[in-house]
Coordinates of all heavy atoms in Angstrom, one line a residue:
M1 N 204.3 56.6 269.9 CA 203.0 56.4 270.4 C 202.1 57.6 270.0 O 202.6 58.7 269.9 CB 203.1 56.2 271.9 CG 201.7 55.9 272.6 SD 201.9 55.6 274.3 CE 201.2 54.0 274.4
T2 N 200.8 57.4 269.9 CA 199.9 58.5 269.5 C 199.6 59.3 270.7 O 200.1 59.1 271.8 CB 198.6 57.8 268.9 OG1 198.0 57.1 270.0 CG2 198.9 57.0 267.8
N3 N 198.6 60.2 270.6 CA 198.2 61.1 271.7 C 197.4 60.3 272.7 O 197.3 60.9 273.8 CB 197.3 62.2 271.1 CG 198.1 63.1 270.2 OD1 199.2 62.9 269.9 ND2 197.4 64.2 269.7
I4 N 196.9 59.2 272.4 CA 196.1 58.4 273.4 C 197.1 57.7 274.4 O 198.1 57.1 274.0 CB 195.3 57.3 272.6 CG1 194.4 57.9 271.6 CG2 194.6 56.4 273.6 CD1 193.6 57.0 270.7
E5 N 196.8 57.9 275.7 CA 197.6 57.3 276.7 C 197.4 55.8 276.7 O 196.3 55.3 276.5 CB 197.3 57.9 278.1 CG 197.8 59.3 278.3 CD 197.6 59.7 279.7 OE1 196.7 59.2 280.4 OE2 198.3 60.6 280.1
K6 N 198.5 55.1 277.0 CA 198.4 53.7 277.1 C 197.7 53.3 278.5 O 198.1 53.9 279.5 CB 199.8 53.1 277.1 CG 200.0 51.7 277.2 CD 201.4 51.3 277.0 CE 201.6 49.8 277.2 NZ 203.0 49.4 277.1
R7 N 196.7 52.5 278.4 CA 195.9 52.2 279.6 C 196.7 51.2 280.6 O 196.7 51.4 281.8 CB 194.6 51.6 279.2 CG 193.8 51.2 280.5 CD 192.4 50.9 280.2 NE 191.7 50.4 281.4 CZ 190.6 49.9 281.5 NH1 189.8 49.8 280.4 NH2 190.0 49.4 282.6
W8 N 197.3 50.2 280.0 CA 197.9 49.2 280.9 C 199.5 49.4 280.9 O 200.1 49.5 279.8 CB 197.6 47.8 280.4 CG 196.2 47.4 280.5 CD1 195.2 47.6 279.6 CD2 195.6 46.9 281.7 NE1 194.0 47.2 280.2 CE2 194.2 46.7 281.5 CE3 196.1 46.5 283.0 CZ2 193.3 46.3 282.4 CZ3 195.2 46.0 283.9 CH2 193.8 45.9 283.6
L9 N 200.0 49.4 282.1 CA 201.5 49.7 282.2 C 202.2 48.5 282.8 O 201.6 47.9 283.7 CB 201.7 50.9 283.1 CG 201.0 52.2 282.7 CD1 201.2 53.2 283.9 CD2 201.6 52.7 281.4
D10 N 203.4 48.2 282.3 CA 204.1 47.1 283.0 C 204.9 47.8 284.1 O 204.9 49.0 284.4 CB 205.0 46.3 282.0 CG 206.1 47.2 281.4 OD1 206.5 48.2 281.9 OD2 206.6 46.8 280.3
I11 N 205.7 47.0 284.9 CA 206.4 47.4 286.0 C 207.4 48.6 285.7 O 207.5 49.6 286.4 CB 207.2 46.3 286.7 CG1 206.2 45.3 287.3 CG2 208.2 46.8 287.8 CD1 206.8 44.0 287.9
S12 N 208.1 48.4 284.6 CA 209.1 49.4 284.2 C 208.4 50.7 283.8 O 208.9 51.8 284.1 CB 210.0 48.9 283.1 OG 210.8 47.8 283.5
E13 N 207.3 50.6 283.0 CA 206.6 51.8 282.6 C 206.0 52.6 283.8 O 206.0 53.8 283.8 CB 205.5 51.4 281.6 CG 206.0 50.9 280.3 CD 205.0 50.2 279.4 OE1 204.0 49.6 280.0 OE2 205.1 50.2 278.2
F14 N 205.5 51.8 284.7 CA 204.9 52.4 285.9 C 206.0 53.1 286.7 O 205.8 54.3 287.2 CB 204.3 51.3 286.8 CG 203.6 51.8 288.0 CD1 202.3 52.2 287.9 CD2 204.2 51.9 289.2 CE1 201.6 52.7 289.1 CE2 203.6 52.4 290.4 CZ 202.3 52.8 290.3
E15 N 207.2 52.5 286.8 CA 208.3 53.1 287.5 C 208.7 54.4 286.8 O 209.0 55.5 287.5 CB 209.5 52.2 287.6 CG 210.7 52.8 288.3 CD 211.9 51.8 288.3 OE1 212.0 51.0 287.4 OE2 212.7 51.9 289.3
E16 N 208.8 54.4 285.5 CA 209.3 55.6 284.8 C 208.2 56.7 284.9 O 208.6 57.9 285.1 CB 209.4 55.2 283.3 CG 210.0 56.3 282.5 CD 210.2 55.9 281.0 OE1 210.7 54.8 280.8 OE2 209.9 56.7 280.1
E17 N 207.0 56.4 284.8 CA 205.9 57.4 284.8 C 205.7 58.0 286.2 O 205.5 59.2 286.4 CB 204.6 56.9 284.2 CG 203.6 58.0 284.1 CD 202.4 57.6 283.3 OE1 202.6 56.7 282.4 OE2 201.3 58.1 283.5
F18 N 205.6 57.1 287.2 CA 205.2 57.6 288.6 C 206.4 57.7 289.5 O 206.2 58.1 290.7 CB 204.1 56.6 289.1 CG 202.8 56.7 288.4 CD1 202.5 55.8 287.4 CD2 202.0 57.7 288.6 CE1 201.3 55.8 286.7 CE2 200.8 57.8 287.9 CZ 200.5 56.9 286.9
H19 N 207.6 57.3 289.1 CA 208.8 57.4 289.9 C 208.6 56.6 291.2 O 209.1 57.1 292.3 CB 209.2 58.9 290.2 CG 209.3 59.7 289.0 ND1 210.4 59.5 288.1 CD2 208.5 60.6 288.4 CE1 210.2 60.3 287.1 NE2 209.1 61.0 287.2
I20 N 208.1 55.4 291.1 CA 208.0 54.5 292.3 C 208.8 53.3 291.9 O 208.5 52.6 290.9 CB 206.5 54.1 292.5 CG1 205.7 55.3 292.9 CG2 206.4 53.0 293.6 CD1 204.2 55.1 293.1
S21 N 209.8 53.0 292.7 CA 210.8 52.0 292.3 C 210.1 50.6 292.3 O 209.0 50.4 292.8 CB 211.9 51.9 293.3 OG 211.4 51.4 294.6
K22 N 210.8 49.7 291.6 CA 210.2 48.3 291.5 C 210.1 47.7 292.9 O 209.1 47.0 293.1 CB 211.1 47.5 290.6 CG 211.1 48.0 289.2 CD 212.0 47.2 288.3 CE 212.0 47.9 286.9 NZ 213.0 47.3 286.0
S23 N 211.0 47.9 293.8 CA 210.9 47.3 295.1 C 209.8 47.9 295.9 O 209.1 47.2 296.6 CB 212.3 47.5 295.9 OG 212.6 48.8 296.0
A24 N 209.6 49.2 295.7 CA 208.5 49.9 296.4 C 207.1 49.4 295.8 O 206.2 49.2 296.6 CB 208.6 51.4 296.3
Q25 N 207.1 49.2 294.5 CA 205.9 48.6 293.9 C 205.5 47.3 294.5 O 204.4 47.0 294.9 CB 206.1 48.5 292.4 CG 206.1 49.7 291.6 CD 206.4 49.4 290.1 OE1 205.8 48.5 289.6 NE2 207.3 50.2 289.6
S26 N 206.5 46.5 294.7 CA 206.3 45.1 295.3 C 205.8 45.3 296.7 O 204.8 44.5 297.1 CB 207.6 44.4 295.3 OG 207.5 43.1 295.9
K27 N 206.3 46.2 297.5 CA 205.9 46.4 298.9 C 204.4 46.8 298.9 O 203.6 46.4 299.7 CB 206.7 47.3 299.6 CG 208.1 46.8 299.9 CD 209.0 47.9 300.6 CE 210.4 47.3 300.7 NZ 211.3 48.3 301.2
F28 N 204.1 47.8 298.0 CA 202.7 48.3 297.9 C 201.7 47.2 297.4 O 200.6 47.1 297.9 CB 202.6 49.5 297.0 CG 203.1 50.8 297.6 CD1 204.0 51.5 297.0 CD2 202.5 51.2 298.8 CE1 204.5 52.7 297.5 CE2 203.0 52.4 299.3 CZ 203.9 53.2 298.7
R29 N 202.2 46.3 296.5 CA 201.3 45.2 296.0 C 201.0 44.2 297.1 O 199.9 43.6 297.2 CB 202.0 44.5 294.8 CG 201.9 45.3 293.5 CD 202.2 44.4 292.3 NE 203.4 43.6 292.5 CZ 204.7 44.0 292.1 NH1 204.8 45.2 291.5 NH2 205.7 43.2 292.2
M30 N 202.0 44.0 298.0 CA 201.9 43.0 299.0 C 201.3 43.5 300.3 O 201.0 42.7 301.2 CB 203.2 42.4 299.3 CG 203.9 41.7 298.2 SD 202.8 40.5 297.4 CE 203.3 40.6 295.7
A31 N 201.0 44.8 300.4 CA 200.4 45.4 301.6 C 199.0 44.8 301.9 O 198.3 44.5 301.0 CB 200.3 46.9 301.5
S32 N 198.7 44.5 303.1 CA 197.5 43.9 303.5 C 196.5 44.9 304.1 O 195.7 44.6 304.9 CB 197.7 42.8 304.5 OG 198.3 43.2 305.6
N33 N 196.6 46.2 303.6 CA 195.7 47.2 304.1 C 195.3 48.1 303.0 O 195.4 47.7 301.8 CB 196.4 48.0 305.2 CG 197.7 48.6 304.8 OD1 197.9 48.9 303.6 ND2 198.6 48.7 305.7
S34 N 194.8 49.3 303.3 CA 194.3 50.2 302.2 C 195.4 50.7 301.3 O 195.1 51.3 300.3 CB 193.5 51.3 302.9 OG 194.4 52.1 303.7
S35 N 196.6 50.4 301.6 CA 197.7 50.9 300.8 C 198.0 49.9 299.6 O 198.9 50.2 298.9 CB 199.0 51.1 301.6 OG 198.8 52.1 302.6
T36 N 197.3 48.8 299.5 CA 197.6 47.9 298.5 C 197.4 48.5 297.1 O 196.4 49.0 296.8 CB 196.6 46.6 298.6 OG1 196.8 46.1 299.9 CG2 196.9 45.6 297.6
L37 N 198.5 48.4 296.3 CA 198.5 48.9 295.0 C 197.7 48.0 294.1 O 198.0 46.8 294.0 CB 200.0 49.0 294.5 CG 200.3 49.5 293.1 CD1 199.8 51.0 293.0 CD2 201.8 49.5 292.9
P38 N 196.7 48.5 293.3 CA 195.9 47.6 292.5 C 196.7 47.2 291.2 O 197.4 48.0 290.6 CB 194.7 48.5 292.1 CG 195.2 49.9 292.2 CD 196.2 49.8 293.3
F39 N 196.7 45.9 290.9 CA 197.4 45.3 289.8 C 196.7 44.1 289.3 O 195.9 43.5 290.0 CB 198.8 45.0 290.2 CG 199.0 43.8 291.1 CD1 199.3 42.6 290.6 CD2 198.8 44.0 292.5 CE1 199.4 41.5 291.5 CE2 198.9 42.9 293.4 CZ 199.3 41.7 292.9
S40 N 197.1 43.7 288.1 CA 196.6 42.4 287.5 C 197.8 41.6 287.2 O 198.9 42.1 286.9 CB 195.8 42.7 286.2 OG 194.7 43.4 286.5
K41 N 197.6 40.3 287.3 CA 198.7 39.3 287.1 C 198.3 38.5 285.9 O 197.2 37.8 286.0 CB 199.0 38.5 288.3 CG 200.4 37.9 288.3 CD 200.6 37.3 289.7 CE 202.1 37.3 289.9 NZ 202.4 36.7 291.2
I42 N 199.0 38.5 284.8 CA 198.7 37.7 283.6 C 199.5 36.5 283.6 O 200.7 36.5 283.6 CB 198.9 38.6 282.4 CG1 198.1 39.9 282.5 CG2 198.6 37.8 281.1 CD1 198.4 40.9 281.5
G43 N 198.9 35.3 283.4 CA 199.6 34.1 283.3 C 200.4 33.7 284.6 O 201.3 33.0 284.5
G44 N 200.0 34.3 285.7 CA 200.7 34.0 286.9 C 202.1 34.6 287.0 O 202.8 34.3 287.9
K45 N 202.4 35.4 286.0 CA 203.8 35.9 285.9 C 203.9 37.4 285.6 O 204.8 38.1 286.2 CB 204.5 35.1 284.8 CG 205.9 35.4 284.7 CD 206.5 34.4 283.6 CE 208.0 34.7 283.5 NZ 208.6 33.8 282.5
F46 N 203.1 37.9 284.7 CA 203.3 39.3 284.3 C 202.4 40.3 285.0 O 201.2 40.1 285.0 CB 203.0 39.4 282.8 CG 203.9 38.5 281.9 CD1 203.5 37.3 281.5 CD2 205.3 38.8 281.7 CE1 204.3 36.4 280.7 CE2 206.1 38.0 281.0 CZ 205.6 36.8 280.5
I47 N 203.0 41.3 285.6 CA 202.3 42.3 286.4 C 201.9 43.4 285.4 O 202.8 43.9 284.7 CB 203.2 42.9 287.5 CG1 203.6 41.8 288.5 CG2 202.4 44.0 288.3 CD1 202.5 41.2 289.3
R48 N 200.7 43.9 285.5 CA 200.2 45.0 284.7 C 199.4 45.9 285.6 O 198.6 45.4 286.5 CB 199.4 44.6 283.5 CG 200.1 43.8 282.5 CD 201.2 44.6 281.8 NE 201.9 43.9 280.8 CZ 203.0 43.2 281.0 NH1 203.6 43.2 282.2 NH2 203.6 42.6 280.0
Y49 N 199.5 47.2 285.4 CA 198.8 48.2 286.2 C 197.8 48.9 285.3 O 198.1 49.3 284.2 CB 199.7 49.3 286.8 CG 200.7 48.7 287.7 CD1 202.0 48.5 287.4 CD2 200.3 48.3 289.0 CE1 203.0 48.0 288.3 CE2 201.3 47.9 289.9 CZ 202.6 47.7 289.5 OH 203.5 47.2 290.4
D50 N 196.5 49.0 285.7 CA 195.5 49.7 285.0 C 195.5 51.1 285.4 O 195.3 51.5 286.5 CB 194.1 49.0 285.3 CG 192.9 49.6 284.6 OD1 193.1 50.8 284.1 OD2 191.9 49.0 284.5
R51 N 195.8 52.0 284.4 CA 195.9 53.4 284.7 C 194.7 54.0 285.4 O 194.8 54.8 286.3 CB 196.1 54.2 283.4 CG 196.4 55.6 283.5 CD 196.6 56.3 282.2 NE 197.7 55.8 281.4 CZ 199.0 56.1 281.7 NH1 199.3 57.0 282.6 NH2 200.0 55.6 280.9
L52 N 193.5 53.5 285.1 CA 192.2 54.0 285.7 C 192.2 53.7 287.2 O 191.9 54.5 288.0 CB 191.0 53.4 285.0 CG 190.9 53.7 283.5 CD1 189.7 53.0 282.9 CD2 190.8 55.2 283.3
L53 N 192.6 52.5 287.6 CA 192.7 52.1 289.0 C 193.8 52.8 289.7 O 193.6 53.1 290.9 CB 192.8 50.6 289.1 CG 191.6 49.7 288.6 CD1 191.9 48.2 288.7 CD2 190.3 50.1 289.3
I54 N 194.9 53.0 289.0 CA 196.0 53.7 289.7 C 195.6 55.1 290.0 O 195.9 55.6 291.1 CB 197.3 53.6 288.8 CG1 197.8 52.2 288.6 CG2 198.4 54.5 289.3 CD1 198.1 51.5 289.9
D55 N 194.9 55.8 289.1 CA 194.5 57.2 289.3 C 193.6 57.2 290.6 O 193.7 58.1 291.4 CB 193.7 57.7 288.1 CG 194.7 58.1 287.0 OD1 195.9 58.2 287.2 OD2 194.2 58.2 285.8
K56 N 192.7 56.3 290.7 CA 191.8 56.2 291.9 C 192.6 55.9 293.1 O 192.3 56.5 294.2 CB 190.7 55.1 291.7 CG 189.7 55.5 290.7 CD 188.7 54.4 290.5 CE 187.7 54.7 289.4 NZ 186.7 53.6 289.2
W57 N 193.6 55.0 293.0 CA 194.4 54.7 294.2 C 195.2 55.9 294.6 O 195.3 56.2 295.8 CB 195.4 53.6 293.8 CG 196.3 53.1 294.9 CD1 195.9 52.3 295.9 CD2 197.7 53.4 295.0 NE1 197.1 52.1 296.7 CE2 198.1 52.7 296.2 CE3 198.6 54.1 294.3 CZ2 199.4 52.8 296.6 CZ3 199.9 54.2 294.7 CH2 200.3 53.5 295.9
L58 N 195.8 56.7 293.7 CA 196.5 57.9 294.0 C 195.6 58.9 294.7 O 196.0 59.6 295.6 CB 197.2 58.4 292.8 CG 198.4 57.6 292.2 CD1 198.8 58.1 290.9 CD2 199.5 57.6 293.2
E59 N 194.4 59.1 294.1 CA 193.5 60.1 294.7 C 193.1 59.7 296.1 O 193.0 60.5 297.0 CB 192.2 60.2 293.8 CG 192.5 60.9 292.5 CD 191.3 60.8 291.6 OE1 190.2 60.3 292.0 OE2 191.4 61.2 290.4
A60 N 192.9 58.4 296.4 CA 192.6 57.9 297.7 C 193.7 58.1 298.7 O 193.5 58.2 299.9 CB 192.2 56.4 297.7
H61 N 194.9 58.3 298.2 CA 196.1 58.4 299.1 C 196.7 59.8 299.1 O 197.8 60.1 299.4 CB 197.2 57.4 298.8 CG 196.7 56.0 299.1 ND1 196.0 55.2 298.3 CD2 196.8 55.3 300.3 CE1 195.7 54.1 298.8 NE2 196.2 54.1 300.1
N62 N 195.9 60.8 298.6 CA 196.3 62.2 298.5 C 196.4 62.8 299.9 O 195.5 62.6 300.7 CB 195.3 62.9 297.7 CG 195.7 64.3 297.4 OD1 196.9 64.7 297.5 ND2 194.7 65.2 297.1
V63 N 197.4 63.5 300.2 CA 197.6 64.2 301.4 C 197.7 65.7 301.1 O 198.6 66.1 300.3 CB 198.9 63.7 302.1 CG1 199.1 64.5 303.4 CG2 198.8 62.2 302.4
Q64 N 196.9 66.4 301.8 CA 196.9 67.9 301.6 C 198.0 68.5 302.6 O 197.9 68.3 303.8 CB 195.6 68.5 302.0 CG 194.5 68.0 301.0 CD 194.7 68.5 299.6 OE1 195.2 69.6 299.4 NE2 194.3 67.7 298.6
G65 N 198.9 69.1 302.0 CA 200.0 69.8 302.8 C 199.6 71.2 303.2 O 198.9 71.9 302.5
G66 N 200.1 71.6 304.3 CA 199.8 73.0 304.8 C 201.1 73.7 304.9 O 202.1 73.2 305.1
I67 N 200.9 75.0 304.9 CA 202.1 75.9 305.0 C 202.1 76.5 306.4 O 201.1 76.9 306.9 CB 202.2 76.9 303.9 CG1 202.4 76.2 302.6 CG2 203.3 77.9 304.2 CD1 202.5 77.2 301.4

């Protein structure tokens, strides 16, 4: 792959990059609150994650830890 990051990730690529298991991804996708993981479904079957939306989702769920 070139220096350009891939914008759309499948379930396995998402798991590898963000270390969120496939079962956890499913739970986050099905959440009915602000924790819902943004995704697209192609052909009613294939799940894809838009890196731009995922970055926004992660920023919205950022927790500042204190020492």
